[in-house]
Amino acid sequence: MSGLRFLTAGESHGQCLTAIVEGIPAGLSVDIEAINGDLARRQQGYGRGGRMKIETDKAEVTSGIRFGETMGDPITLRIVNKDWQNWTDRMSVFGSEYGDKVTAVRPGHADLTGVLKYNRDDARDILERASARETAARVAVGGLCKEFLAACGIQVVSHVVKIGGVAVDEARINREEIGSGSSELNCYDAVAEEAMKQRIQEAMAQGDTLGGVFEVIVRGAPLGLGSHIQWDQRLDGKLAAAMMAIQAIKGVEIGAGFQCGELPGSEIHDEMFLSQEGHVYRKTNRAGGLEGGMTNGEEIVVRACMKPIPTLMKPLHSVDIAQDKEVLACKERSDVCAVSAASVVGEAMTAIVMAQAVLDKFGGDAMCDLLANMESYRARVQG
Ligand SMILES: Cc1cc2nc3c(=O)[nH]c(=O)nc-3n(C[C@H](O)[C@H](O)[C@H](O)COP(=O)(O)O)c2cc1C
């Protein structure tokens, strides 16, 4: 198990979301505004629902940081749900039951399986926690990990590459621009972005929803994070698991991904060359920065596919669990498309796994020890 771990708590319309992060070394300077910047990016995106207009997510630190620096203690991050004010009766902690129960369960959501498994008769008891509102807490944790990684010379960025079948043209993307935050949809092909917005508008008009694909890129990771020694030390496996653990993510690719099943080895594997200084280099990165479950010094490239949002304004056929009859599924205030928000969550989950991998390899209770270990290792492997 990695020395860096975290838990989140909180319901979508509860008082707040909380995360406890343990394992960040002492001596890391933390800029809360950088974390809040990521929280704001998670809220953005064409096609988001009304909830995001109510919230202005800000993380509050209630433990683990003193005078702007970590002390090695568990760090507690808290994000208040402004919408709680409108839900104090329906989400009361100790009050009496109030409001209609949610019984017309939604296909594609946790509602039905959750009520059966946890023996509840109101799907709100399930959907409040299954909701991706929880990802705000993960983005705060990821923001902290991004600051830790930045101190180690590692940067994590993301961009949207497909929405509802509209794909970017790689040739139109300036990869340096990715991560600049200059796009509403977190998409750096302006032509595709316009077409994506159009597609979202159409889906909205039809009471429908859309999914898509985003890509996370890690720059500056030293080679040798992760290991080939055991299945559960492989970094490709950890990254894929973290990405799949985001609500609505149904597929993950690393590098050329599923294309590997179509092309011959001569068109997939990245050939190696020697520079004049005697350094090994590659001209391509179809491995996506990972070979043998270890980083190989190239950019890490992970893509994730998000399914369309399961709450439709033109609801799907379903059942009412209280009345045992067929009905149309319930409607909760909802996003039409949240791929750009999911890309920020993907960035956070990747940052958490990368921070764990760095700590596993270089250890250290104090940042100065970790950075010294890392520097001598980088000098030895020149990566
Ligand atoms: C950033 C983000 C925002 C989401 N917004 C919504 C939403 O507004 N309405 C909804 O029904 N599902 C939304 N989802 C998806 C559901 O949370 C998810 O489909 C549900 O919890 C069931 O989990 P599963 O799709 O992984 O099986 C969102 C997911 C993410 C990552």
Side-chain angles (χ1 to χ4, degrees):
M1 194 178 71
S2 168
L4 175 66
R5 56 187 183 152
F6 77 101
L7 276 179
T8 72
E11 284 81 33
S12 177
H13 299 96
Q15 295 181 42
C16 65
L17 295 156
T18 309
I20 300 182
V21 191
E22 189 177 69
I24 298 279
L28 175 74
S29 293
V30 177
D31 174 8
I32 193 71
E33 287 318 317
I35 296 174
N36 288 336
D38 277 352
L39 287 171
R41 285 172 59 232
R42 194 201 74 96
Q43 289 194 257
Q44 264 178 16
Y46 197 81
R48 303 303 307 283
R51 174 74 188 272
M52 288 304 111
K53 294 187 179 74
I54 297 174
E55 303 295 343
T56 340
D57 291 340
K58 296 250 183 267
E60 228 179 284
V61 176
T62 59
S63 81
I65 297 181
R66 185 160 178 253
F67 306 137
E69 261 194 23
T70 56
M71 298 175 283
D73 303 352
I75 298 167
T76 309
L77 297 154
R78 185 169 173 268
I79 303 160
V80 167
N81 287 324
K82 277 197 188 163
D83 207 12
W84 154 251
Q85 301 300 335
N86 307 316
W87 287 77
T88 46
D89 42 15
R90 284 165 291 173
M91 291 298 291
S92 168
V93 178
F94 292 115
S96 314
E97 276 190 26
Y98 184 92
D100 295 336
K101 290 183 175 156
V102 179
T103 50
V105 292
R106 292 162 298 171
H109 223 297
D111 306 351
L112 179 61
T113 310
V115 287
L116 294 173
K117 177 174 159 71
Y118 288 90
N119 191 30
R120 313 306 299 165
D121 62 0
D122 182 354
R124 180 153 306 286
D125 286 353
I126 303 305
L127 67 89
E128 282 289 330
R129 181 67 186 155
S131 158
R133 175 78 188 132
E134 181 266 345
T135 60
R138 295 201 223 177
V139 167
V141 177
L144 188 63
C145 290
K146 278 166 77 173
E147 296 198 43
F148 165 75
L149 291 171
C152 302
I154 301 169
Q155 190 194 14
V156 185
V157 295
S158 71
H159 65 136
V160 169
V161 296
K162 200 184 268 187
I163 285 182
V166 178
V168 295
D169 178 347
E170 293 288 340
R172 280 197 296 250
I173 298 179
N174 171 4
R175 285 181 82 78
E176 296 307 306
E177 219 191 315
I178 298 171
S180 64
S182 61
S183 151
E184 190 184 359
L185 273 183
N186 198 21
C187 172
Y188 295 88
D189 171 352
V191 177
E193 188 180 24
E194 267 322 296
M196 287 171 182
K197 285 186 181 172
Q198 183 69 37
R199 190 74 200 77
I200 293 170
Q201 196 64 49
E202 286 162 13
M204 197 181 299
Q206 289 158 5
D208 216 331
T209 58
L210 294 175
V213 179
F214 63 83
E215 181 174 272
V216 179
I217 302 164
V218 183
R219 301 169 177 151
L223 66 82
L225 299 180
S227 174
H228 62 293
I229 300 287
Q230 288 291 356
W231 70 271
D232 58 355
Q233 291 174 17
R234 291 186 61 111
L235 193 59
D236 44 8
K238 290 182 183 183
L239 286 167
M243 219 57 120
M244 287 297 288
I246 301 171
Q247 294 83 336
I249 299 303
K250 295 297 144 198
V252 180
E253 284 188 322
I254 291 179
F258 281 87
Q259 248 201 333
C260 294
E262 290 165 29
L263 298 173
S266 55
E267 291 177 45
I268 286 292
H269 302 300
D270 305 304
E271 291 185 283
M272 298 179 198
F273 304 88
L274 266 187
S275 71
Q276 283 184 341
E277 297 78 40
H279 297 159
V280 180
Y281 72 95
R282 301 164 178 85
K283 294 178 182 171
T284 54
N285 182 23
R286 290 183 286 255
L290 288 151
E291 289 172 304
M294 295 173 279
T295 53
N296 65 5
E298 303 292 329
E299 276 188 352
I300 299 168
V301 183
V302 186
R303 270 182 302 279
C305 176
M306 181 181 193
K307 74 184 189 185
I309 300 285
T311 310
L312 275 67
M313 289 308 121
K314 195 173 162 207
L316 297 172
H317 198 270
S318 185
V319 292
D320 187 302
I321 51 165
Q323 302 177 52
D324 280 339
K325 67 171 192 186
E326 294 186 4
V327 291
L328 293 178
C330 70
K331 292 191 246 179
E332 280 276 308
R333 190 178 43 206
S334 198
D335 298 325
V336 173
C337 175
V339 182
S340 54
S343 69
V344 179
V345 182
E347 219 177 281
M349 291 308 291
T350 302
I352 294 164
V353 173
M354 292 306 299
Q356 286 174 333
V358 167
L359 281 158
D360 284 349
K361 171 121 187 71
F362 301 107
D365 301 313
M367 282 304 289
C368 60
D369 297 334
L370 178 131
L371 293 175
N373 286 345
M374 201 167 169
E375 198 182 321
S376 77
Y377 173 80
R378 279 196 196 258
R380 179 174 71 75
V381 299
Q382 291 168 336

